[in-house]
Amino acid sequence: MKTFTRCIEDFVCLHCSADVKGNGYTNHCPKCLWSRDVDINPGDRASQCGDLMMPIGVETIRDGFIIIHKCEKCGKIARCRSNENDNLNEIIRLSKNPEFIFGK
């Protein structure tokens, strides 16, 4: 059973160096959409990996988008809801990712 722990943290993106202001639900950089493999359950910071998670695809949902991330070290796949301040151009680019579409 997954549980959510709200964790308010500001961070510097390790991929693009953007300063990110966290709100307790922020788990990726709104500029480049990259994330880190830091959670087992959302917000718990219990993952031993800690590596960067590349955005590899996007799914549309009724009221927004789900960003699909893949850890560069362990290969973990994670899904997270987009935020209103996310870079829409990056979301559109991800929606055209043939590697994700074809499941490679």
Side-chain angles (χ1 to χ4, degrees), residues 5-100:
T5 304
R6 187 170 182 208
C7 188
I8 300 173
E9 298 173 317
D10 298 339
F11 61 93
V12 174
C13 177
L14 295 178
H15 182 258
C16 74
S17 301
D19 288 318
V20 179
K21 184 84 169 154
N23 65 9
Y25 303 102
T26 307
N27 77 333
H28 62 272
C29 174
K31 180 178 176 184
C32 69
L33 307 181
W34 281 64
S35 186
R36 282 188 65 200
D37 187 359
V38 295
D39 296 335
I40 293 174
N41 293 311
D44 68 9
R45 303 304 185 251
S47 175
Q48 296 294 311
C49 183
D51 209 56
L52 286 173
M53 296 186 78
M54 177 174 64
I56 61 168
V58 67
E59 299 172 358
T60 56
I61 55 175
R62 180 174 28 119
D63 57 349
F65 303 96
I66 299 290
I67 300 168
I68 314 299
H69 290 98
K70 182 176 182 179
C71 180
E72 293 194 308
K73 182 177 179 183
C74 71
K76 172 182 164 182
I77 302 288
R79 301 168 73 241
C80 71
R81 182 178 289 273
S82 66
N83 297 311
E84 62 185 31
N85 61 340
D86 284 347
N87 183 338
L88 189 56
N89 289 328
E90 281 298 303
I91 291 174
I92 292 168
R93 185 188 64 75
L94 283 175
S95 72
K96 299 175 183 179
N97 185 352
E99 183 174 320
F100 179 72

